[in-house]
Amino acid sequence: VEFHEQTRRACNEDGCVVAPILALTEGFSRARITVPAAFHNAPWQAVIRDPLVCDGGTLHEALRAALKARRGNLPVDSEDWLASRFAPSSTIVDAAISLYGQHDVSAIDAHAAPIEVIERCTSEVADRIVLSKRDKKNRIIFVSGAPGAGKTLVGLKLAFDPRFRDDAVFVTGNAPLVEVLSAALQGSYQSKRRRGEAVMVPSGYSRQDAHRVMTMSTFKIVKAHAFLGQRGTGTGSADGSVVVFDEAQRTYEEGREVLRKRLEADEAALILDSLEKSYPNTGAVVVALVGHNQAINRGEMGIVAWFKAAAARGWQYAISDETLSLSEVAGSGAWASARNREVLQVGHLPHSLRSYRNGDIERWAGFALANRPAEGKPLAMQLEQRGDTIWLTRELAVAKTWVRERRIGDEKAGMIASGQARRLAAEGLFVELKPDIAKWILAPSGDIRSSNMLETVQNQYQIQGLEIDYSIVCWDADLRREGNDWQAYKISGAEWQREKALEIAKNGYRVLLFSSGGAEMVFDGVVPKSPWRQTTGFWGLFP
């Protein structure tokens, strides 16, 4: 259903079902061929839960059983079905692997409205990079968007664009993303034998290119705060005149200690100075991917640091009016009218790529965390009618069972929690443990390091920018309702103490609630145990 466009349409519109049949080629099947009454829940509501097991002599019975399970009578056009394209959803890891192979990102629906905006944004930014190389002017190009809007995908498409690939560096303040991308890219090429002998590569690669491709799997992805230290070292890992800076709002101010050294100036300014020194008169470019409502660390300077650095050095900067209108851009009027500002037409990504499956859950979560119940309640009712309800339980075992019943195939499930949720230790959830994020995301079911085992928990710093299909959001008392609003707390000594950085706490939970591409179960580890219940989205937060 997820991977074939015509099958998905037939199931959604014509009442078809997908019936997996396991036919034994040797021996005999003793299984009784019956269609179970229960089908998988959304988005797999048209898939029979268990395969129909048969052998050569009972295959016809299995086919008859499958036909009886149909919910519609319209015939499937064989020519349309065979000609239909491969069009599953995609995670950013899938996209990175496709882009490294210089393939199209076929794993993302090309007709989705968010993708059209992403393509237009990528094209316009690429044109600005070409312009910089032509007019020899240094530029910063800003692309903004909410979590899941596709900023990182834009950055990857630019970094691996054949026109810039040899001269581009993908830098990110999201260290876990670097680890997952690097591990995924390395894992996509498998050696038959060790020591450089024959290598199996995916379709699209020649064997002589295999070594180069494997080298590139970590060649152009750099952690942000290691970026300056690696430039000019001769390794090539951080060298390039086109710097795609993901999570660009996460740069630090002068005096902050980074990698055991204090910054001599603001980090953004140091990056521009390094580019000017390394690539004089060539038209250096920084593509700054800026997250909206994603401040989850103290001491981050935000987008304004880049404005100031550009103004002091005479760099041009291209930015859209939508980006300038964001709340994070203080004094936007002055930056909008600056002489070195250029207008970017498509520089803000307003839609979430994840919304095709989780509907308006992200919008609802935004209303809830912004304390806007009047806008959120009607949306919550719509979610319940569509079956997209968020569920709540105060029994962790129940939450795990709920997820395990829904996850199938290569889908990912996992437990996530706030980095301040230290009292979840009573439930065996240790938010400071930080399991290997690459193994957590990429390891298959059955591997004890896999998120699918539901044994370890990741916090918002580890999961940001990544996506799982079914999440258990473990909610602690670090963000709680007091009166009619939110209040943040943190453990200090043996007790909870009020925390001033309320927005950082709310943004942390925003990342957690936005991390699911499918459905969510909220485990409330704060309130004493009680029977679980379905909610209309507000789980008692608002009257």
Side-chain angles (χ1 to χ4, degrees):
V1 177
E2 279 294 278
F3 295 87
H4 190 254
E5 187 174 57
Q6 184 65 9
T7 300
R8 185 163 61 237
R9 188 208 61 75
C11 291
N12 292 337
E13 300 176 13
D14 299 338
C16 293
V17 298
V18 174
I21 297 176
L22 177 59
L24 304 181
T25 57
E26 295 182 4
F28 299 94
S29 171
R30 293 180 175 83
R32 184 181 177 186
I33 301 175
T34 57
V35 176
F39 283 67
H40 282 294
N41 293 320
W44 305 93
Q45 68 271 23
V47 182
I48 294 177
R49 180 176 294 276
D50 299 315
L52 303 176
V53 182
C54 64
D55 53 39
T58 56
L59 176 59
H60 64 288
E61 295 180 23
L63 294 173
R64 284 184 182 139
L67 289 172
K68 288 181 180 178
R70 288 191 67 183
R71 300 171 178 178
N73 296 317
L74 290 177
V76 175
D77 188 306
S78 60
E79 292 186 2
D80 287 347
W81 194 88
L82 290 171
S84 182
R85 67 197 181 95
F86 172 75
S89 59
S90 175
T91 65
I92 198 65
V93 174
D94 300 326
I97 293 172
S98 296
L99 287 164
Y100 259 116
Q102 296 183 343
H103 302 306
D104 293 332
V105 188
S106 59
I108 295 180
D109 188 345
H111 297 295
I115 294 298
E116 292 180 7
V117 176
I118 286 173
E119 294 294 345
R120 288 165 54 203
C121 176
T122 305
S123 178
E124 187 176 3
V125 174
D127 289 343
R128 297 276 175 168
I129 296 174
V130 171
L131 176 62
S132 290
K133 298 305 177 184
R134 188 168 61 241
D135 65 14
K136 310 299 183 184
K137 290 183 179 179
N138 299 328
R139 279 182 175 81
I140 303 176
I141 307 167
F142 292 96
V143 175
S144 61
K151 301 182 300 297
T152 303
L153 179 56
V154 169
L156 288 168
K157 288 172 74 69
L158 292 166
F160 307 146
D161 187 306
R163 292 172 292 178
F164 320 126
R165 186 169 181 151
D166 292 338
D167 196 31
V169 186
F170 184 83
V171 183
T172 178
N174 187 343
L177 179 64
V178 176
E179 296 172 18
V180 172
L181 287 180
S182 297
L185 291 163
Q186 288 176 332
S188 65
Y189 315 105
Q190 301 178 3
S191 288
K192 279 185 177 179
R193 296 182 291 274
R194 293 181 180 273
R195 301 185 181 182
E197 296 185 16
V199 175
M200 295 178 61
V201 295
S203 175
Y205 296 102
S206 61
R207 290 184 179 275
Q208 57 266 34
D209 288 339
H211 177 74
R212 178 173 180 269
V213 172
M214 293 177 72
T215 302
M216 287 184 66
S217 67
T218 54
F219 182 61
K220 291 290 186 179
I221 304 177
V222 185
K223 296 180 182 180
H225 301 309
F227 174 66
L228 287 170
Q230 293 180 16
R231 285 190 68 81
T233 60
T235 63
S237 60
D239 294 330
S241 65
V242 178
V243 176
V244 181
F245 205 110
D246 197 19
E247 303 293 349
Q249 74 278 7
R250 302 205 183 287
T251 58
Y252 288 138
E253 62 186 349
E254 178 182 356
R256 178 68 181 262
E257 188 171 295
V258 176
L259 299 180
R260 300 181 181 179
K261 292 183 180 180
R262 292 195 177 276
L263 294 174
E264 299 174 358
D266 293 344
E267 195 171 15
L270 291 173
I271 290 171
L272 299 194
D273 288 342
S274 174
L275 284 168
E276 287 184 344
K277 180 179 179 181
S278 300
Y279 303 97
N281 305 315
T282 61
V285 177
V286 172
V287 179
L289 309 176
V290 180
H292 175 45
N293 283 333
Q294 288 179 257
I296 58 175
N297 296 306
R298 294 175 180 271
E300 295 171 353
M301 291 190 68
I303 190 173
V304 176
W306 295 98
F307 291 151
K308 292 179 178 178
R313 289 155 184 78
W315 281 48
Q316 301 291 113
Y317 64 87
I319 190 169
S320 70
D321 292 336
E322 290 81 4
T323 302
L324 285 169
S325 67
L326 298 178
S327 58
E328 291 94 330
V329 186
S332 60
W335 303 119
S337 58
R339 294 179 61 183
N340 57 333
R341 186 244 169 148
E342 299 171 353
V343 178
L344 204 60
Q345 297 300 322
V346 188
H348 181 68
L349 306 177
H351 305 292
S352 172
L353 283 174
R354 303 170 189 151
S355 62
Y356 85 100
R357 274 199 299 179
N358 63 1
D360 292 321
I361 288 178
E362 290 187 4
R363 287 183 57 215
W364 169 81
F367 288 137
L369 291 169
N371 201 36
R372 293 157 62 184
E375 296 166 82
K377 270 194 173 180
L379 184 58
M381 300 302 293
Q382 294 173 24
L383 289 171
E384 184 170 21
Q385 292 173 3
R386 295 203 302 263
D388 289 335
T389 309
I390 293 178
W391 296 74
L392 170 72
T393 182
R394 295 189 174 106
E395 297 284 353
L396 186 56
V398 170
K400 291 182 179 182
T401 299
W402 183 88
V403 167
R404 285 172 177 146
E405 288 178 346
R406 285 157 176 77
R407 189 206 69 79
I408 63 174
D410 290 332
E411 289 183 323
K412 300 297 295 183
M415 297 190 295
I416 51 181
S418 161
Q420 293 294 332
R422 293 187 174 89
R423 285 301 298 136
L424 291 176
E427 301 288 344
L429 305 176
F430 303 98
V431 294
E432 295 176 312
L433 179 61
K434 295 182 181 179
D436 184 326
I437 187 64
K439 297 296 184 185
W440 196 81
I441 289 288
L442 301 173
S445 297
D447 189 320
I448 60 173
R449 299 166 296 182
S450 170
S451 66
N452 290 340
M453 300 301 288
L454 302 179
E455 294 184 359
T456 55
V457 63
Q458 296 283 5
N459 62 38
Q460 71 268 35
Y461 306 105
Q462 294 286 94
I463 199 67
Q464 185 179 24
L466 299 168
E467 182 181 321
I468 52 181
D469 298 287
Y470 294 95
S471 64
I472 301 175
V473 179
C474 303
W475 201 295
D476 200 6
D478 57 320
L479 185 65
R480 62 182 82 165
R481 299 290 295 177
E482 290 189 352
N484 294 319
D485 208 345
W486 294 103
Q487 180 58 53
Y489 284 80
K490 68 177 181 178
I491 293 287
S492 180
E495 299 180 349
W496 288 105
Q497 301 289 338
R498 278 181 176 264
E499 169 62 56
K500 294 180 180 179
L502 175 60
E503 288 305 312
I504 288 180
K506 290 199 295 186
N507 284 345
Y509 273 92
R510 192 188 312 274
V511 169
L512 297 176
L513 291 170
F514 284 13
S515 68
S516 176
E520 290 181 323
M521 168 68 76
V522 176
F523 163 59
D524 186 345
V526 181
V527 181
K529 304 288 190 299
S530 65
W532 71 313
R533 59 190 173 90
Q534 185 179 8
T535 77
T536 55
F538 279 82
W539 64 79
L541 297 180
F542 301 100

